[in-house]
Amino acid sequence: MPPATPKRRNAEKTQQAILDAARQTFFEKGYDAAGTREMADRANVNVALINRYFGSKEGLFKKAILPELNIEFLLAGDMADFGQRVANMFAAKTGEKEFDPLVALLRASTSKEAIPLLRQTVEDQIIKPLALRLNGNTAHERASLIVTQLAGYDLLNRVVDVQTTSTGGTEDMVRLLGKTLQDLVDRV
Amino acid sequence: MPPATPKRRNAEKTQQAILDAARQTFFEKGYDAAGTREMADRANVNVALINRYFGSKEGLFKKAILPELNIEFLLAGDMADFGQRVANMFAAKTGEKEFDPLVALLRASTSKEAIPLLRQTVEDQIIKPLALRLNGNTAHERASLIVTQLAGYDLLNRVVDVQTTSTGGTEDMVRLLGKTLQDLVDRV
DNA sequence: ATGATAAGTAATCAACTGTTGACTTATATA
DNA sequence: TATATAAGTCAACAGTTGATTACTTATCAT
């Protein structure tokens, strides 16, 4: 039965609910496999409202996921211990189920429709800002290699769920990944 | 019009044609977006034969893609110059349009159905054999980091088509990637 | 030549996709 | 209180998808 009080109308809250549901759904299922009906149900909202407010699924993806891409957490801090700091963060979030924009991007990275959006986002929002923090004339290449390493790390560990560590803990992995990243910061 | 000579029946050739078409289609489109009808059309074969001969789309993927995963080319050669050798190979195939099992795997890496198959393949066919060629007690971790770096490199360069090199050539990229990989071989 | 068997075909199923247009209903202003 | 407008609903479209069924036809051993 429908609620006795027929639910107050509030466009802003509705759009926010759609955005939240979309973020979670895109994060869990990638782009293609994330259905608009599922998102609408999660947001307790009619499907048609997605198109009304965001134009299309692609428009929703743009507003829900792309702005979440914030690599401040990567750049904030001394570059002298960038490697260990970042390695720790990435190792710590292995197995984490909460929304992570990077993983959302990875899960969408094989979708024809999403790829053009991803390409620009990765170049402008991730590689370029990171390259600006590096010294030397190969800054862009080294920034790219840092990003490819981190993308591959998250892809295997969190998307495909591959076993990358052998015995016991992750200390070895953190140390090795940290050293690899730091070498790229320090000009290899 | 149908061919005057109504086409000789040959189960083996038919299956081979399906496998070839499937390889190309999975390579181009990943797992979900690769339709059985498209594969059948490419192979000049009736769709129903896919299910007759391979049981399901998943069965076809197993027979068409997984056996192609051959990392002999990675392990063949002296480990003393593994880094430069492999970096050269990966840089050279950027932009390449021909079938590449690694890229096929990457394009399938976000599909719910394909992930369990990928996980086991990556662990057993790639990471473990590579780890066996490395010395020291962190061999598995370092092999994993080599694989994550190469996976991320191919994902960004060949799937998402990101610009990872700055000015002109790829020499800098090859040198930096090669050094990074070699350091992981040599214990970081 | 005649059956048995394997190979290939055609139609259809049920489920799902994103999107749209016409509709109803609540809310706030005049 | 009447009314314009924004918010939300509903049903349907037109296209997919992988898979199955009953069927026809070619091939080969007897």
Side-chain angles (χ1 to χ4, degrees), chain B residues 34-105:
Chain B
T36 53
R37 281 170 180 83
E38 176 178 354
M39 301 182 197
D41 288 350
R42 282 194 186 207
N44 260 303
V45 142
N46 192 288
V47 209
L49 294 180
I50 289 182
N51 295 89
R52 184 199 281 296
Y53 289 131
F54 301 97
S56 64
K57 181 180 172 177
E58 186 179 335
L60 175 55
F61 182 81
K62 276 193 220 174
K63 300 258 186 183
I65 302 294
L66 298 191
E68 293 297 312
L69 234 292
N70 181 1
I71 58 157
E72 289 302 313
F73 76 95
L74 266 187
L75 306 179
D78 193 351
M79 288 306 276
D81 69 337
F82 174 91
Q84 286 303 319
R85 178 161 39 90
V86 172
N88 260 300
M89 299 178 60
F90 273 72
K93 64 180 189 160
T94 303
E96 188 65 60
K97 297 285 185 188
E98 281 165 49
F99 174 75
D100 182 335
L102 240 75
V103 173
L105 244 62

Side-chain angles (χ1 to χ4, degrees), chain A residues 132-172:
Chain A
L132 285 176
R133 298 290 296 269
L134 303 183
N135 301 316
N137 58 347
T138 59
H140 187 83
E141 279 78 4
R142 286 178 289 130
S144 295
L145 286 175
I146 288 171
V147 174
T148 56
Q149 174 65 84
L150 292 175
Y153 184 87
D154 258 7
L155 183 73
L156 262 64
N157 281 290
R158 305 190 63 192
V159 177
V160 185
D161 203 25
V162 164
Q163 192 74 26
T164 56
T165 56
S166 51
T167 65
T170 60
E171 310 100 55
D172 281 336

